[in-house]
Amino acid sequence: MNSTKSRRKVGPASAIENGAESADKLEQMLLSSAICNNEDLGPFIRKAFSSGKPETLHHHLRHFARSKESEIEEVCKAHYQDFIMAVDDLKSLLSDVDSLKSALSDSNSRLQSVAGPLLSSLDAFLEARTVSVNVDLALQSLATSIRLIEVCARSNHHLSNSNLYMALKCLDSIETEFLDKTPSSTLRRMLEKKIPAIRAHIERKVSKEFGDWLVEIRVVCRNLGQLAIGQASSARQREEDLRIKQRQAEEQSRLSLRDCVYALQEEDDEEDNHGDSTNGFDLTPLYRAYHIHQTLGLGDRFKQYYFENRKLQLTSDFQVSSMTPFLESHQTFFAQIAGFFIVEDRVMRTGGGLISKIEVENLWEAAVSKMCSVLEDQFSRMQTANHLLLIKDYVSLLGVTLRRYGYPVDALLDVLSKHRDKYHELLLSDCRKQISEALAADKFEQMLMKKEYEYSMNVLSFQLQTSDIVPAFPYVAPFSSTVPDCCRIVRSFVEDSVSFMSYGGQLDFYDVVKKYLDRLLSEVLDEALLKLITTSVHGVSQAMQMAANMAVMERACDFFFRHAAQLSGISLRMAERGRKQFPLGKARDSAEEMLSGLLKAKVDGFMTLIENVNWMADEPAQNGNEYVNEVIIYLETLVSTAQQILPAQVLKRVLQDVISHISENIVGILCGDSVKKFNINAIIGIDVDIRFLESFADNQAPIFSEGDANQLKKALAESRQLVNLLLSDHPENFMNPVIRARSYNTLDYRKVVTISEKLRDQSDRLFGTFGSRGAKPNPKKKSLDTLIRRLKDVS
């Protein structure tokens, strides 16, 4: 080691030699490793030639070869003994093969001698087996042909019996199971020719059946639509009957709570018993045709064919005949369309996709558009309310019928609502004519009813009775025949209005009915009655009858609004809450004014007797003046007659007006030019007259009431206050505002001045003579003179 270390410290030349030697060994090791690993030696060769030292590579290869030669030599030495032994074994094996060859030759000779007969037998067996296989194939072909003939026979049988689907199934079976397996080419060619012909025949036959069904279904649709709409009408009628019974029960409950009768109404399941109206038509030909076409692979084409034909039928159903009035043909028109869509609904639900929901909706939209157009056109031409109502009712029934099948009918109902104003205007015009005819026939006589049914028809049916007790017959009603006649017209108007508004999609239509009812009463009936009163009433009895009629009509108007509320399905409380003033107020006021005017004219005839009053009497008239006795006799006769026909309140208003007129006449006579002067005795006589009139008013308390009797007395307030003022010891109190407001509030100071100036004292009998000289002045006269001066100053 020391020597090695000392060598490394030798000069640079020895270090370089050692480095080169190490690099050469490394390269040799890498080359050997690459050769052993079967790697590519190209890089080593290129490196050697590029560095210009191929000798080094050649040297390394020779060194590797020498190293491998030694290894080969060692291996050969190791296996030499085994090789010798293998050669010996091969020599012994060659001897055994020769002995085996001779044995095999002997065995082959013996085998050939034994197998010869067996081979001849095998050839005979193979020939027999080939014949057997051919026979089996012939039998199988014959069996296939027999089955094919049987299927063909079944197909012919199905065709002859019109079992088209089974015939098609036989054809499909022939094509899929037998056509390719048919051993006879002639039979195969026949089948290939006949099968398409048979299918074409089946298609033509089923198309003809479908065409016949299309013709028949139009008649079926019309009958079906009429049946379905008829069932809807019957159901509506049952609902109406049930509502009528309910209203009758409510009315009975309102009239007498103790006698209420409650009954459970079981609705008749007539529609359920008869079944659905759509069970009356047969879709078998349609579904059969669709199924056959599907089997033929023509399902889509048949769908299109069906849709186009049905669309054409619907288009033809839209045609409205110009030769037949729409009023006569509208039921057939709408029933045809209704039946069409009932059928299409069934086809859509059970046809297996024959027609889609979207297609049915498109057809319905076209139908609705056309029906709306037809209704608009026909409604615009109609000038009779009843015609509009008939068509509207049928269209609403159409809507009810088709809504059951899910079809939207709002557009149709909108058309009906749009024409409600025209309908009501026509209805008002019809009622105006009917009312005019009814009023023209009025004889202003009380109505006589001989039978109970007449009472029920003319009184109870309009709730005109004032008592729940049925009167004895014959019964004389306080009204004339005009009242029930007009009530029937108005009730019919209400029912027609409600009928038009009902089932139109609008649930709360009472306000609309009430609006037109108000118009009928205030514009038509009120004006007709007013015209009758002003043109045809000429006597007290006629005017009294009209006033009595108007009082009864006031109760009738209450019934009209209650009836409208009940038919509209709202509570009576809500109807009463929306009530306004009496719609026949003008006619009522005119009738009462007419009666009061005629009575005033009669009273004026008796008041002319006031001219016989001695205005400068020496003694007051203790029993009243002649005119007042005549007036009271007339008023008492009037009351005894009028109370049989006029309601108490009407009679009170008329009497109050007449008595007020009498009071105004008394004041007017005193204020007028016919009385130049009067004395205190005449005023005392007038006071007695007024007391008689006040006593007459008090005597009416049993007829009216104490309060109403006091109101009759108040009608004499002006004349009473005037007489009280003239008889007062202190007439100057009239100027006191408090006393005047309490005791003389009805007096006009100008009239007081005029009348007071006419009052003469007893001493004034010799007015302008010397007889009054030296007389003691009257304090009352002086006070009255003072009042006159002060009133004149005020004026």
Side-chain angles (χ1 to χ4, degrees):
M1 293 177 63
N2 294 333
S3 64
T4 304
K5 290 180 180 179
S6 62
R7 280 196 303 268
R8 289 180 180 175
K9 292 180 182 179
V10 180
S14 61
I16 291 172
E17 291 178 1
N18 290 333
E21 184 179 357
S22 297
D24 187 51
K25 288 181 178 181
L26 178 61
E27 185 177 355
Q28 184 178 348
M29 290 176 61
L30 291 174
L31 181 62
S32 298
S33 176
I35 295 172
C36 291
N37 294 330
N38 293 324
E39 293 179 0
D40 186 16
L41 300 181
F44 294 95
I45 296 172
R46 284 192 296 271
K47 182 179 178 182
F49 280 95
S50 62
S51 60
K53 296 179 179 182
E55 296 82 5
T56 304
L57 176 62
H58 188 262
H59 173 71
H60 290 163
L61 292 174
R62 282 198 306 269
H63 182 272
F64 180 77
R66 285 194 299 271
S67 65
K68 291 300 178 181
E69 287 177 357
S70 61
E71 290 180 3
I72 292 171
E73 185 178 357
E74 290 176 358
V75 170
C76 289
K77 289 179 179 180
H79 294 286
Y80 176 75
Q81 188 65 34
D82 293 336
F83 179 73
I84 297 299
M85 292 176 65
V87 170
D88 293 339
D89 291 337
L90 288 175
K91 289 180 178 181
S92 62
L93 179 62
L94 182 62
S95 175
D96 292 337
V97 168
D98 291 337
S99 61
L100 178 61
K101 180 180 179 182
S102 61
L104 288 174
S105 178
D106 295 339
S107 299
N108 182 43
S109 299
R110 291 194 300 270
L111 179 62
Q112 287 182 357
S113 62
V114 173
L118 294 176
L119 289 176
S120 61
S121 298
L122 178 61
D123 291 337
F125 169 74
L126 291 176
E127 184 179 358
R129 189 176 66 175
T130 301
V131 172
S132 176
V133 169
N134 292 335
V135 172
D136 289 339
L137 289 175
L139 291 175
Q140 290 177 4
S141 298
L142 183 60
T144 301
S145 299
I146 291 173
R147 291 199 304 271
L148 174 60
I149 297 302
E150 289 177 351
V151 175
C152 291
R154 286 201 304 271
S155 177
N156 290 332
H157 176 72
H158 291 317
L159 282 174
S160 62
N161 293 331
S162 295
N163 295 328
L164 304 181
Y165 174 71
M166 295 304 299
L168 285 176
K169 296 301 290 182
C170 290
L171 295 180
D172 290 340
S173 177
I174 291 172
E175 282 188 324
T176 57
E177 298 180 13
F178 299 104
L179 190 60
D180 294 336
K181 301 176 182 179
T182 303
S184 172
S185 59
T186 303
L187 183 59
R188 184 184 302 110
R189 286 194 298 272
M190 185 272 294
L191 292 177
E192 290 174 350
K193 180 179 179 181
K194 291 296 182 180
I195 288 176
I198 293 173
R199 284 180 171 164
H201 169 73
I202 291 175
E203 182 183 357
R204 288 193 300 271
K205 187 171 182 179
V206 78
S207 297
K208 181 180 182 304
E209 292 179 356
F210 173 67
D212 295 338
W213 179 84
L214 283 175
V215 175
E216 295 172 359
I217 199 63
R218 296 198 66 185
V219 179
V220 172
C221 286
R222 181 169 60 253
N223 297 333
L224 181 62
Q226 291 173 345
L227 177 61
I229 294 175
Q231 289 180 351
S233 178
S234 300
R236 178 181 294 182
Q237 186 59 47
R238 289 196 297 274
E239 292 176 0
E240 289 293 337
D241 294 341
L242 186 61
R243 278 197 289 268
I244 290 173
K245 292 180 180 179
Q246 181 179 359
R247 287 196 297 269
Q248 290 174 349
E250 292 175 353
E251 184 63 22
Q252 188 174 4
S253 174
R254 186 180 67 85
L255 295 176
S256 176
L257 293 176
R258 294 175 298 176
D259 298 332
C260 290
V261 177
Y262 298 94
L264 179 62
Q265 176 70 27
E266 294 184 1
E267 192 169 343
D268 188 9
D269 296 332
E270 179 181 358
E271 184 175 351
D272 295 335
N273 294 334
H274 289 291
D276 192 352
S277 61
T278 60
N279 289 333
F281 62 96
D282 184 17
L283 295 177
T284 303
L286 171 64
Y287 293 162
R288 183 183 183 186
Y290 180 44
H291 192 195
I292 294 298
H293 279 82
Q294 281 184 316
T295 306
L296 292 171
L298 305 174
D300 293 337
R301 191 179 77 179
F302 182 78
K303 288 180 184 180
Q304 184 67 24
Y305 180 72
Y306 171 78
F307 179 77
E308 293 297 333
N309 276 274
R310 291 293 282 163
K311 186 176 180 181
L312 289 174
Q313 286 188 342
L314 181 62
T315 304
S316 66
D317 292 339
F318 290 157
Q319 303 302 319
V320 179
S321 175
S322 59
M323 304 299 294
T324 305
F326 188 71
L327 185 66
E328 300 177 7
S329 63
H330 75 279
Q331 293 189 0
T332 303
F333 174 78
F334 290 117
Q336 186 75 49
I337 295 176
F340 178 93
F341 284 100
I342 291 174
V343 170
E344 290 309 310
D345 176 75
R346 173 66 70 86
V347 173
M348 180 187 69
R349 289 186 289 107
T350 63
L354 176 57
I355 188 169
S356 66
K357 184 177 181 180
I358 295 177
E359 290 174 331
V360 175
E361 290 176 352
N362 292 336
L363 291 176
W364 174 245
E365 289 178 1
V368 168
S369 176
K370 181 62 179 180
M371 286 189 289
C372 291
S373 175
V374 170
L375 286 175
E376 291 278 4
D377 179 60
Q378 296 297 330
F379 280 170
S380 64
R381 300 180 185 181
M382 291 183 181
Q383 299 301 321
T384 304
N386 189 43
H387 294 175
L388 266 76
L389 180 59
L390 289 174
I391 294 176
K392 178 266 169 188
D393 284 342
Y394 204 80
V395 172
S396 65
L397 289 173
L398 171 72
V400 171
T401 301
L402 292 180
R403 188 184 284 121
R404 292 176 51 199
Y405 296 92
Y407 294 106
V409 296
D410 293 339
L412 287 174
L413 301 182
D414 290 341
V415 174
L416 300 181
S417 299
K418 187 189 302 183
H419 289 82
R420 72 184 185 189
D421 292 334
K422 178 178 180 179
Y423 168 77
H424 283 93
E425 291 296 336
L426 294 175
L427 195 59
L428 287 171
S429 178
D430 293 343
C431 290
R432 183 177 284 107
K433 296 177 183 178
Q434 296 172 12
I435 289 173
S436 298
E437 294 173 357
L439 294 181
D442 190 13
K443 297 180 180 180
F444 302 101
E445 296 177 356
Q446 291 178 257
M447 194 172 183
L448 176 64
M449 303 177 198
K450 299 180 180 180
K451 302 293 182 180
E452 185 175 354
Y453 80 89
E454 295 179 353
Y455 180 79
S456 176
M457 180 176 62
N458 295 307
V459 178
L460 295 181
S461 60
F462 306 112
Q463 300 178 7
L464 303 180
Q465 70 276 11
T466 57
S467 173
D468 295 335
I469 302 174
V470 178
F473 296 97
Y475 168 69
V476 179
F479 51 82
S480 65
S481 61
T482 298
V483 173
D485 290 343
C486 291
C487 287
R488 271 185 280 272
I489 295 171
V490 176
R491 182 178 63 182
S492 177
F493 175 89
V494 171
E495 293 172 351
D496 289 344
S497 176
V498 171
S499 179
F500 190 89
M501 297 301 299
S502 299
Y503 311 105
Q506 184 176 355
L507 298 178
D508 185 10
F509 51 82
Y510 171 71
D511 291 338
V512 178
V513 176
K514 178 177 175 294
K515 180 184 76 172
Y516 288 108
L517 177 58
D518 281 330
R519 286 190 58 188
L520 173 67
L521 295 175
S522 60
E523 296 180 11
V524 179
L525 183 57
D526 193 32
E527 292 179 2
L529 290 170
L530 188 62
K531 181 179 179 181
L532 177 69
I533 293 168
T534 55
T535 59
S536 302
V537 175
H538 304 295
V540 173
S541 61
Q542 293 180 342
M544 190 176 297
Q545 186 62 66
M546 282 303 303
N549 288 351
M550 295 310 303
V552 178
M553 287 301 296
E554 192 163 358
R555 293 198 299 275
C557 288
D558 294 336
F559 162 76
F560 297 146
F561 286 100
R562 288 197 303 270
H563 189 54
Q566 289 176 337
L567 293 179
S568 302
I570 70 169
S571 64
L572 297 180
R573 182 180 303 173
M574 293 179 63
E576 292 294 335
R577 188 182 304 168
R579 283 290 309 279
K580 297 181 180 179
Q581 60 183 0
F582 180 48
L584 305 179
K586 294 179 181 179
R588 178 191 61 189
D589 296 342
S590 177
E592 293 183 10
E593 290 174 3
M594 177 67 73
L595 178 58
S596 298
L598 294 173
L599 293 178
K600 290 175 185 178
K602 289 286 186 181
V603 168
D604 288 343
F606 298 113
M607 290 296 292
T608 58
L609 297 176
I610 201 171
E611 297 175 356
N612 298 332
V613 174
N614 185 1
W615 297 105
M616 298 299 292
D618 295 331
E619 297 291 336
Q622 299 297 326
N623 296 323
N625 293 298
E626 180 184 4
Y627 79 92
V628 77
N629 294 324
E630 296 294 333
V631 168
I632 290 176
I633 292 172
Y634 177 73
L635 292 178
E636 289 176 347
T637 304
L638 172 68
V639 170
S640 63
T641 303
Q643 67 180 348
Q644 304 298 323
I645 181 174
L646 288 179
Q649 290 300 316
V650 177
L651 180 57
K652 189 264 294 185
R653 288 196 296 268
V654 172
L655 280 178
Q656 187 173 356
D657 195 20
V658 172
I659 292 175
S660 176
H661 177 69
I662 294 172
S663 176
E664 291 173 359
N665 275 351
I666 293 173
V667 175
I669 291 294
L670 292 175
C671 188
D673 295 336
S674 60
V675 178
K676 303 299 182 180
K677 57 183 178 178
F678 55 85
N679 60 17
I680 200 65
N681 290 331
I683 296 303
I684 293 174
I686 296 297
D687 179 62
V688 173
D689 296 342
I690 294 175
R691 290 182 187 279
F692 283 163
L693 292 171
E694 290 174 340
S695 176
F696 166 78
D698 291 333
N699 292 336
Q700 307 311 312
I703 301 176
F704 309 120
S705 64
E706 186 175 351
D708 291 339
N710 289 333
Q711 288 186 3
L712 291 179
K713 287 178 65 175
K714 290 180 180 179
L716 297 165
E718 186 179 12
S719 58
R720 164 52 61 200
Q721 292 178 8
L722 178 62
V723 170
N724 288 345
L725 178 61
L726 295 176
L727 296 178
S728 174
D729 292 335
H730 301 285
E732 71 277 3
N733 288 339
F734 181 78
M735 298 304 297
N736 187 321
V738 178
I739 298 177
R740 182 176 179 179
R742 184 179 67 245
S743 302
Y744 307 109
N745 56 343
T746 62
L747 294 180
D748 184 355
Y749 73 92
R750 289 184 293 271
K751 292 182 180 180
V752 171
V753 171
T754 303
I755 295 172
S756 298
E757 288 181 336
K758 295 181 181 182
L759 180 61
R760 297 291 184 266
D761 193 21
Q762 284 295 108
S763 59
D764 291 343
R765 295 183 63 185
L766 300 176
F767 182 72
T769 67
F770 293 100
S772 60
R773 293 180 182 179
K776 186 177 180 180
N778 188 347
K780 179 178 178 180
K781 175 67 174 175
K782 183 178 179 180
S783 178
L784 190 60
D785 292 339
T786 303
L787 173 64
I788 293 172
R789 285 196 305 272
R790 294 178 63 184
L791 289 175
K792 287 183 176 180
D793 292 340
V794 172
S795 62

